[in-house]
Amino acid sequence: MNTRILIVLALIIAGIAGWFFQQQGDIAPPVSIGASDVDYEATDIKAVQTNEQGDTEYELNADSLTHNPVTNQDEMSGITMNWEPSDEQRYRIQAGSAAINQQTGELRLSGGFTLISEEKADADIAPIKVIGQTLKGNTKSRQVYSDEPVKVEQGMNRFQASSMKANLETGEYEFGQVAVSFTPAERKDKALF
């Protein structure tokens, strides 16, 4: 083959390729890399927190965890927490998401929560179950509270309250503006004589 034909053929191919790439436009937007608000991330978390004596205080399972260095909080989703703040009390807490500051002990559960308490010493007492949207507290002081409405169940007893405070170490609860539905037993008239 003649070199002129090869040069013309190469120029035609280069022209077609140039036209093709010009028609494609930008392939992808430019990537911008900025500073992240996340220090570290993990999934399928299983953690154990001990007290000063080395006894297990709580066990925590979570679907995912991210640490935010700006707020110094561990932010988790899909949590289940088994908490034993004293020798008499045991709690199981489930929530959609949680934020915990390990230094101060501040805790915030959101996305719906369930708090179930059981007394270790007396298994005959039905556990108390508190259900709500947001629960705040402190793991060091063992105090929790909710300023939003909660539903409370214990055995066959049920009521709603506008707020709740609890000392998890002693098992004492305080409820605000309690609303109870009471259905008395059916009346049966009997002759006295």
Side-chain angles (χ1 to χ4, degrees):
M1 267 192 150
N2 194 345
T3 53
R4 286 185 185 174
I5 294 174
L6 288 176
I7 292 173
V8 170
L9 191 58
L11 288 174
I12 292 172
I13 292 173
I16 292 172
W19 176 82
F20 177 74
F21 285 113
Q22 182 184 14
Q23 297 301 317
Q24 294 300 315
D26 292 334
I27 293 175
V31 177
S32 77
I33 299 175
S36 175
D37 288 341
V38 175
D39 196 12
Y40 54 82
E41 290 183 75
T43 58
D44 296 327
I45 305 302
K46 295 181 190 315
V48 175
Q49 176 70 40
T50 58
N51 60 18
E52 291 81 20
Q53 292 78 31
D55 299 327
T56 300
E57 188 169 318
Y58 64 82
E59 296 175 2
L60 178 75
N61 295 325
D63 295 337
S64 67
L65 172 134
T66 57
H67 181 260
N68 188 332
V70 175
T71 61
N72 194 28
Q73 289 189 339
D74 293 329
E75 298 167 357
M76 295 169 274
S77 65
I79 73 154
T80 301
M81 184 176 185
N82 294 317
W83 192 358
E84 296 186 27
S86 69
D87 292 336
E88 296 83 28
Q89 300 296 322
R90 175 179 34 228
Y91 299 90
R92 181 174 180 87
I93 303 171
Q94 295 176 314
S97 61
I100 300 175
N101 186 319
Q102 294 295 334
Q103 300 299 320
T104 64
E106 291 299 315
L107 167 73
R108 178 181 167 83
L109 304 176
S110 58
F113 76 89
T114 303
L115 169 70
I116 302 171
S117 66
E118 301 173 357
E119 287 195 34
K120 293 182 191 178
D122 194 353
D124 293 336
I125 297 176
I128 297 172
K129 183 177 184 180
V130 181
I131 302 167
Q133 284 301 308
T134 305
L135 183 69
K136 299 174 187 173
N138 191 298
T139 58
K140 296 185 186 299
S141 68
R142 298 172 175 94
Q143 305 280 326
V144 294
Y145 66 94
S146 179
D147 294 329
E148 297 179 10
V150 294
K151 293 179 183 177
V152 181
E153 300 175 7
Q154 185 179 27
M156 297 301 292
N157 303 315
R158 289 170 170 58
F159 65 88
Q160 294 182 3
S162 65
S163 63
M164 176 210 63
K165 291 180 184 177
N167 182 333
L168 299 184
E169 191 166 14
T170 62
E172 296 174 356
Y173 291 86
E174 191 177 310
F175 299 101
Q177 296 183 346
V178 174
V180 178
S181 296
F182 179 71
T183 308
E186 197 173 302
R187 183 175 171 171
K188 295 179 183 177
D189 293 328
K190 292 183 179 181
L192 295 175
F193 302 101

